[in-house]
Amino acid sequence: VTDPMTIRKRPLGQTGLDIPELVLGGGFVGGVMIDPPEDVRREALRRCLDAGVDWVDTAQSYGQGQSEANIGRLLAELAPAARPRISTKIGLKPEDMADPKTAVRRAIEASLERLGLERVQVYQLHNRIGTSDSGWITPYAMLRPGGVADAFAAVKEAGLTEHIGITALGDTGAVRDVIASERFETAQVYYNLLNPSAGANAPA
């Protein structure tokens, strides 16, 4: 794809943003923002931008922060108006659940430092949501007063991210409960060019 006019855009959740149907992933699938030399990463980003793909999705866990740091160096080479929009994510640890507000604030500040940005467009929780015996984060822990949703709302209010969301993995019913709360603006479903199974027809 070389013509930006061929890249269709769609609304992103409840954010009010329109984003390309294809975005550049900074994770382990492909690994282009983690493993290759800098000139390969630079060329990959340039080709995406030339094609009208103005969004890069990454996470703190991708290469233990290496993806964010690599993307940050590439962003610094571009004029602010030419930079892609960025979404990144945090996976909370069990010990973070005693004080999620502090954990989320600390994590997003570290991500922004690696990215060299004052804010990102979307910040997401990157944990599975489900029952406590699975070791996943429960809907109650997400939505209780002082819980994860409040922690994410606090970093949005502080201007560190424009929008907040979840990665929609885990127990389907639990994920639906969190989405139905309307506390988050996006729900990222695992879907990419190498594994498009989430887009297949499935029994009700």
Side-chain angles (χ1 to χ4, degrees), residues 1-25:
V1 178
T2 57
D3 182 0
M5 296 301 293
T6 65
I7 296 289
R8 294 185 299 182
K9 293 191 175 183
R10 297 208 177 178
L12 178 62
Q14 303 300 315
T15 65
L17 300 174
D18 288 329
I19 74 167
E21 287 187 323
L22 295 177
V23 305
L24 177 59

Side-chain angles (χ1 to χ4, degrees), residues 156-201:
K156 178 182 176 181
E157 186 175 344
L160 302 178
T161 182
E162 295 176 11
H163 304 282
I164 55 176
I166 61 170
T167 300
L169 291 175
D171 176 74
T172 300
V175 172
R176 283 174 173 262
D177 288 344
V178 172
I179 292 171
S181 74
E182 299 186 348
R183 299 293 307 278
F184 295 91
E185 299 162 275
T186 65
Q188 183 173 338
V189 178
Y190 186 85
Y191 178 90
N192 58 57
L193 293 178
L194 298 183
N195 182 1
S197 58
N201 290 328

Side-chain angles (χ1 to χ4, degrees), residues 70-189:
N70 292 342
I71 291 167
R73 287 196 304 277
L74 296 178
L75 295 178
E77 297 176 358
L78 301 172
R83 293 172 183 170
R85 295 172 288 175
I86 303 293
S87 53
T88 192
K89 304 180 282 292
I90 173 60
L92 292 174
K93 302 181 179 70
E95 57 267 27
D96 294 331
M97 298 309 295
D99 185 4
K101 185 175 182 179
T102 297
V104 170
R105 179 66 180 249
R106 182 172 56 239
I108 193 171
E109 287 177 345
S111 288
L112 291 173
E113 183 175 356
R114 285 188 289 269
L115 289 162
L117 298 173
E118 294 183 357
R119 69 184 60 82
V120 289
Q121 277 65 54
V122 178
Y123 194 58
Q124 296 186 149
L125 178 75
H126 205 28
N127 293 77
R128 292 178 183 268
I129 300 170
T131 59
S132 57
D133 58 5
S134 67
W136 299 343
I137 297 181
T138 65
Y140 174 75
M142 294 287 293
L143 304 176
R144 67 172 177 82
V148 176
D150 283 350
F152 272 74
V155 295
K156 178 182 176 181
E157 186 175 344
L160 302 178
T161 182
E162 295 176 11
H163 304 282
I164 55 176
I166 61 170
T167 300
L169 291 175
D171 176 74
T172 300
V175 172
R176 283 174 173 262
D177 288 344
V178 172
I179 292 171
S181 74
E182 299 186 348
R183 299 293 307 278
F184 295 91
E185 299 162 275
T186 65
Q188 183 173 338
V189 178

